[in-house]
Amino acid sequence: MTGDLIASRDNPRIKRLRRLAQDGTAYRREGRVWVEGDHLCAAALAQGHRPDAVVVTPAGSHWVERWRREGRLAADVPVWTVTEAVMRHISALESPSNVACLLPLAGATPVRPDVPTVVLDRLQDPGNVGSILRSAAAFGFTQVIALRTTAALWSPKVLRAGMGAHFGLHLVEGADAAAVEALRVPLIATSSHQGAWLHTARLPWPCAWLFGHEGQGVDPAWLARATTTVRIIQPGGQESLNVAAAAAICLHASAVARATNATGAR
């Protein structure tokens, strides 16, 4: 059963969902996150997240049946069925999906001091932030700390760019200096003009990588706190790399160093 079909845009429930889907920071006020699309919903369910509700069009009801059959979605999770027109009204996408989840958002999360971490310093572009979260998850980093004024981690745009990485990471946002100072792993900062070359640097594990603002780079005060500063060789002569590309290179280098050290220790 998927309940009565909701066809009115004026339904209070629909107004709330629209705010969550279209306002990048509404989740902070609501304490819930709009997760749209079967891929993102499946990723959340695979990590054990329990939705407050699943929202589907009639054409998307098979996802509910499948997830319940697979044991990923509990039978008592409410299902709200909406018309395709209402889903288009809710969604910020050009081509809305036929399924979405409403996930409860955890409260303030404490920093885990000893785990491999990525620190984001004032990054503004949601695509960059989501891409870095995706790289972090892929290369074995389990925590992301977003310093104040970094793009909202749970905004719909960052969620889409993260492609499900959010649900396997420990996320701390709106952090201040105390959050970084709580880390007990070496802090490595990136720079376009100073520090050791990444390909020759001895990278510790675990560690925390610090990536800075798209235009200004890492704040000089944070550079001064870093244990190590590295730069990426660029024989093509470009002034700098996109921060998401630089992060992927650096995080991959850490993963390679970790694997190499583990192999050599045998």
Side-chain angles (χ1 to χ4, degrees):
M1 292 292 292
T2 55
D4 295 332
L5 183 66
I6 301 174
S8 172
R9 296 180 178 187
D10 295 326
N11 185 299
R13 187 180 290 170
I14 300 307
K15 291 181 178 180
R16 180 186 179 196
L17 294 178
R18 180 177 165 86
R19 284 195 300 271
L20 286 171
Q22 304 208 15
D23 180 342
T25 59
Y27 69 87
R28 293 174 177 167
R29 301 186 295 274
E30 296 281 349
R32 285 168 176 77
V33 177
W34 171 259
V35 178
E36 184 172 347
D38 57 276
H39 175 83
L40 287 180
C41 290
L45 295 173
Q47 291 291 336
H49 291 268
R50 176 188 166 92
D52 283 345
V54 178
V55 183
V56 297
T57 66
S61 60
H62 67 281
W63 289 113
V64 173
E65 296 165 6
R66 174 177 174 176
W67 294 330
R68 284 181 172 165
R69 187 169 61 248
E70 294 171 346
R72 296 186 182 190
L73 183 67
D76 60 345
V77 171
V79 177
W80 302 339
T81 305
V82 302
T83 63
E84 290 185 6
V86 167
M87 185 67 95
R88 286 195 299 272
H89 175 71
I90 295 170
S91 177
L93 301 179
E94 268 190 47
S95 300
S97 178
N98 56 20
V99 63
C101 288
L102 185 64
L103 293 184
L105 186 67
T109 51
V111 171
R112 295 174 180 171
D114 300 312
V115 302
T117 299
V118 172
V119 181
L120 304 179
D121 174 25
R122 300 166 297 127
L123 272 71
Q124 300 298 297
D125 184 80
N128 284 336
V129 173
S131 180
I132 292 173
L133 264 62
R134 194 174 179 186
S135 293
F139 295 126
F141 288 78
T142 58
Q143 176 171 251
V144 175
I145 298 174
L147 298 175
R148 287 173 182 164
T149 74
T150 294
L153 294 188
W154 290 99
S155 70
K157 289 182 179 179
V158 176
L159 269 167
R160 289 196 294 273
M163 292 294 289
H166 287 69
F167 307 116
L169 293 168
H170 181 73
L171 302 178
V172 181
E173 68 171 346
D176 56 16
V180 181
E181 290 166 356
L183 293 172
R184 295 197 293 261
V185 294
L187 183 63
I188 307 174
T190 54
S191 171
S192 61
H193 60 278
Q194 68 182 49
W197 293 112
L198 175 63
H199 66 282
T200 61
R202 293 179 63 86
L203 300 175
W205 186 269
C207 67
W209 279 96
L210 174 61
F211 302 108
H213 183 278
E214 287 88 349
Q216 301 165 12
V218 175
D219 188 293
W222 286 114
L223 279 175
R225 297 186 191 199
T227 307
T228 305
T229 303
V230 299
R231 48 184 170 156
I232 299 169
I233 192 167
Q234 297 177 61
Q238 291 295 317
E239 181 181 349
S240 64
L241 288 170
N242 168 271
V243 66
I249 292 168
C250 292
L251 300 180
H252 176 262
S254 271
V256 170
R258 178 189 183 192
T260 302
N261 291 339
T263 301
R266 289 175 185 168

